[in-house]
Amino acid sequence: MNPYLAEFLGTLVLILLGDGVCACNALNKSKGQGAGWVAIIIGWGLAVMAGVFVAGPSSGAHLNPAVSLALALTGSLPWAMVPDPDTKLGTFCTMPAIKNTWRNFFCEFVGTWLLVFCILMFATEGNVAGVSLGSSGAFPVTMLIMAIGVSLGGATGYAINPARDLGPRIAHAVLPIKGKRDSGWWYSWIPVAGPLAGAAFAAGMFLLIF
């Protein structure tokens, strides 16, 4: 499969399932309404796993521009492959539990730093995790996403991925949803800039170590 098509399909699966569990938990008359934070964390973890299995064999399944940036910075990915196609899908976006711009940014920065640094460490030669870019890394990365959600995700909803937030926020803004509120554009830069900065820091730290 063409790697760009693979990333499109993998990201579609990721966002459809991930935003789907948010909708299932929040919407009135849903059978899953009120399932809670743990259900959302499990849903997003499994959404990542499903997206990785779809895209992994053909593209390495980044599904996250922050991961692509870090891999390019560490020399594992040609820079020509970094720009992702505009194929993000969804209807829900993240918002902080408490509005505090720089603390919200820091939370996204730290969460993505942890995500990317652990992925890079998982893939190092001799690591017992033994993952690679692709489907074989789906299970450890799924557990990692769930760990970040349980431990660090409560403050901002842990976007830790520009693709998870920006596309769905745009969709929320343009879709004719009855009774919707504003799309929170004041916050929209944080789930994009925070993850990219965290990924770049993780890549720099990885290069210093190795």
Side-chain angles (χ1 to χ4, degrees):
M1 192 192 313
N2 179 284
Y4 290 104
L5 176 61
E7 286 292 309
F8 171 87
L9 294 175
T11 304
L12 185 150
V13 168
L14 166 68
I15 301 301
L16 182 61
L17 291 176
D19 280 357
V21 73
C22 293
C24 182
N25 177 72
L27 295 180
N28 289 332
K29 299 183 180 180
S30 165
K31 291 183 182 294
Q33 185 179 18
W37 182 240
V38 173
I40 291 174
I41 290 167
I42 293 171
W44 270 103
L46 296 176
V48 170
M49 183 184 72
V52 168
F53 277 127
V54 168
S58 299
S59 69
H62 301 176
L63 311 182
N64 184 340
V67 172
S68 301
L69 173 65
L71 292 174
L73 288 170
T74 58
S76 300
L77 180 73
W79 276 102
M81 297 293 290
V82 171
D84 284 352
D86 187 16
T87 59
K88 284 67 180 184
L89 179 70
T91 57
F92 298 97
C93 52
T94 62
M95 294 295 287
I98 299 173
K99 180 181 176 180
N100 186 304
T101 299
W102 293 110
R103 289 180 182 176
N104 299 153
F105 177 89
F106 182 73
C107 289
E108 288 293 328
F109 175 92
V110 170
T112 311
W113 165 80
L114 181 62
L115 170 69
V116 172
F117 184 73
C118 286
I119 288 174
L120 292 172
M121 292 300 294
F122 287 172
T124 57
E125 185 177 354
N127 192 315
V128 293
V131 308
S132 62
L133 292 177
S135 299
S136 64
F139 294 115
V141 173
T142 294
M143 298 299 105
L144 174 61
I145 294 288
M146 293 170 67
I148 292 171
V150 168
S151 300
L152 304 176
T156 60
Y158 79 120
I160 59 173
N161 181 351
R164 181 266 175 271
D165 196 89
L166 183 58
R169 195 180 301 273
I170 293 170
H172 178 272
V174 301
L175 289 174
I177 302 170
K178 184 179 179 180
K180 71 177 180 181
R181 54 157 289 178
D182 68 275
S183 298
W185 289 109
W186 64 269
Y187 182 74
S188 62
W189 69 274
I190 291 176
V192 174
L196 291 175
F201 187 79
M205 186 173 175
F206 180 82
L207 288 173
L208 283 175
I209 293 172
F210 291 98

